[in-house]
Amino acid sequence: MRSIRLPEPPSASLGTPEIFEGGAFSVVRRAIIIGNGFPGAENQCVGLVRALGLADRQTLYRVTRPRGPINYWFRWLPVSLHKKLDYAIKRLFGESRLFMLLQRKKVLPLPLQNGRVSGLSSVLEADSRMIAKMAQETFDKEGPLLVVSSGWDTISVASSIRRLAPQSVFVVQIQHPRTHLDRFDMVVTPQHDYYPLTPSGQREIPRFIRRWITPREPPGSNVVLTVGALHKVDSSELRRAALAWHNELAPLPKPLLVINIGGPTSHCRYGTDLAKQLTDALLKVLPSCGSVRVSFSRRTPEKVSSIILTQFSGNPKVYIWDGEEPNPHMGHLAWADAFVITADSISMLSEACSTGKPVYVAGAERCTWKFSAFHKTLRDRGMVRPFTGEEDMSESWCYPPLNDAGDAADRIRNALAERGWSVRR
């Protein structure tokens, strides 16, 4: 198999002393991540910070919402309003039996408030005033502060930090915030988020609701368009994973095929039909595989996973991860020779395409809207092929690895340079 050299994450070097580069106050040497408790959003921030070479100087703050089944229905409200409403409800009904009974039921609780997602030991509550004040008071000694956030709940906090300390921070919002983009110094978002502006998107949107669809205008100069989702998979992470999973994955017969199965979404609808299609295709390619590893996500419906389990649980070539820790995902990325991934997961496809290894997509024909645009981009770049069951897994192919985080980091460095700032190297 042809080897692929992945981009190296930036690392600190001796270089020119900061005093000759404009002084310490012009060098970005630290980063704050504003998270929302969900790995899919926080890992994108971590990946961008890593690509900028600030992984060892990052601090994670998290925006948290009130918990409980009643609060589940208010999850679309701005966090500040949600907290006020929760306080009012508790004051009015906190002692009632019905309220106490409802609160005992657990409906989609948020993840525990800790830093395990980002490899950090503790997480602080995000407070825009406190962070802005800290950035201003430490500017002369520590230099500018990079703020990176992702997710709906983080928008108001990140934009408030920029409003309160515009001369001391550089704020990057990942994923389109569906609001005025000038509230941020930089917005990093996939190009398929602008699908509503394309001819195909315009044909799919009824004229009377177009004014309510965002974005309404093309990206401006402070918008970085990526192909997929940012993530923290780079060469150093893969090397670390290769060592950690060497004893378990290295001895497996080659080629090693890794299958990642997500779950249906509003724009990628499927059920047992895709499970049966995937099963039939896998049975056909199994003779050309040395070994197969299958992983389900938290979103995978039981009716889908049960079909896969029934068909392959007794097959000596196939190992199905049981969902217990440790999660082999990074090990699979490091050791796999090829991937099969369901079309619903932009994150898993983005990670796999960053390895330069063959990636096959199952179920892309079931996707609509911006998902179909994303898959077309990957196909046009030669990064993915449909999984039909006619493939010979012993044959390999390659392409330039997807490096969205590195490309976004370069744009941010250029924007910082225009302000007279630079990133510590």
Side-chain angles (χ1 to χ4, degrees):
M1 177 168 292
R2 185 177 174 182
S3 62
I4 298 293
R5 183 173 179 82
L6 295 172
E8 297 283 348
S11 58
S13 60
L14 294 178
T16 306
E18 289 173 355
I19 190 172
F20 297 115
E21 295 181 346
F25 59 86
S26 67
V27 180
V28 178
R29 296 177 294 176
R30 55 194 174 138
I32 279 180
I33 292 173
I34 310 294
N36 61 359
F38 292 94
E42 293 184 356
N43 282 341
Q44 295 197 58
C45 299
V46 173
L48 182 57
V49 170
R50 284 180 59 86
L52 286 164
L54 298 173
D56 59 338
R57 291 293 305 275
Q58 67 181 22
T59 305
L60 175 63
Y61 290 78
R62 185 169 289 160
V63 179
T64 56
R65 285 184 177 270
R67 303 184 187 185
I70 292 180
N71 286 299
Y72 171 74
W73 302 106
F74 303 137
R75 68 192 187 280
W76 302 114
L77 292 174
V79 175
S80 58
L81 180 58
H82 188 176
K83 289 182 176 180
K84 291 177 182 177
L85 182 60
D86 177 66
Y87 176 77
I89 291 174
K90 287 179 178 177
R91 289 295 300 269
L92 290 172
F93 307 107
E95 301 299 325
S96 70
R97 270 190 170 181
L98 178 60
F99 182 80
M100 297 299 290
L101 180 62
L102 288 174
Q103 286 296 87
R104 290 193 186 100
K105 296 181 180 180
K106 296 182 179 179
V107 180
L108 281 178
L110 289 175
L112 293 176
Q113 188 173 346
N114 58 55
R116 287 177 295 183
V117 169
S118 302
L120 303 172
S121 59
S122 63
V123 179
L124 304 172
E125 177 69 24
D127 183 321
S128 57
R129 292 185 180 278
M130 182 273 292
I131 295 173
K133 182 179 179 181
M134 179 269 291
Q136 292 172 323
E137 292 179 347
T138 60
F139 181 82
D140 289 340
K141 181 179 179 181
E142 296 289 339
L145 175 66
L146 176 70
V147 178
V148 182
S149 59
S150 179
W152 165 254
D153 288 346
T154 69
I155 292 171
S156 61
V157 175
S159 60
S160 294
I161 294 171
R162 181 176 183 267
R163 175 176 54 82
L164 294 169
Q167 304 302 319
S168 305
V169 300
F170 189 91
V171 177
V172 180
Q173 183 72 30
I174 299 175
Q175 297 179 334
H176 200 289
R178 311 302 179 189
T179 185
H180 299 293
L181 303 187
D182 57 5
R183 295 169 63 184
F184 312 93
D185 293 297
M186 190 73 74
V187 173
V188 180
T189 191
Q191 62 188 30
H192 56 254
D193 273 354
Y194 283 86
Y195 179 73
L197 300 182
T198 65
S200 297
Q202 291 290 297
R203 286 194 296 270
E204 294 180 42
I205 304 173
R207 184 176 296 275
F208 70 92
I209 65 170
R210 287 181 185 175
R211 62 176 297 186
W212 307 107
I213 301 294
T214 53
R216 301 187 189 93
E217 56 188 24
S221 59
N222 70 327
V223 176
V224 178
L225 295 181
T226 62
V227 174
L230 302 186
H231 51 79
K232 58 182 183 180
V233 178
D234 57 28
S235 57
S236 64
E237 281 292 299
L238 290 177
R239 280 197 296 269
R240 189 178 297 110
L243 290 173
W245 288 90
H246 178 273
N247 292 342
E248 182 171 343
L249 301 181
L252 295 178
K254 298 289 187 175
L256 168 59
L257 175 65
V258 167
I259 301 178
N260 291 329
I261 302 174
T265 68
S266 58
H267 295 297
C268 280
R269 298 184 180 277
Y270 63 83
T272 56
D273 54 340
L274 182 62
K276 293 174 181 177
Q277 174 186 327
L278 186 58
T279 297
D280 292 341
L282 181 55
L283 286 171
K284 291 180 181 178
V285 303
L286 205 55
S288 65
C289 296
S291 49
V292 177
R293 305 267 299 194
V294 180
S295 293
F296 301 112
S297 78
R298 296 175 181 174
R299 298 185 296 107
T300 308
E302 185 177 353
K303 61 183 179 181
V304 171
S305 58
S306 61
I307 290 176
I308 307 294
L309 286 166
T310 300
Q311 181 65 55
F312 296 106
S313 58
N315 192 305
K317 271 191 176 183
V318 181
Y319 170 86
I320 302 177
W321 179 49
D322 59 9
E324 299 294 327
E325 294 295 338
N327 189 329
H329 181 62
M330 288 300 299
H332 286 170
L333 288 171
W335 285 100
D337 295 302
F339 303 91
V340 172
I341 299 174
T342 55
D344 57 274
S345 181
I346 291 176
S347 295
M348 288 194 295
L349 283 167
S350 300
E351 290 175 341
C353 288
S354 71
T355 67
K357 302 173 185 178
V359 179
Y360 298 94
V361 182
E365 68 280 0
R366 292 169 169 79
C367 295
T368 60
W369 196 236
K370 67 179 184 179
F371 281 81
S372 61
F374 170 64
H375 293 302
K376 183 178 184 305
T377 299
L378 295 184
R379 290 195 301 271
D380 290 347
R381 292 188 171 213
M383 294 179 172
V384 303
R385 297 177 183 178
F387 185 50
T388 64
E390 303 302 321
E391 296 80 11
D392 182 351
M393 291 301 167
S394 64
E395 297 179 359
S396 184
W397 44 278
C398 60
Y399 48 85
L402 190 62
N403 186 27
D404 280 334
D407 295 340
D410 288 340
R411 283 285 304 277
I412 291 171
R413 289 191 188 95
N414 291 338
L416 289 170
E418 292 177 2
R419 189 179 290 190
W421 294 351
S422 62
V423 181
R424 183 206 66 175
R425 289 183 177 275

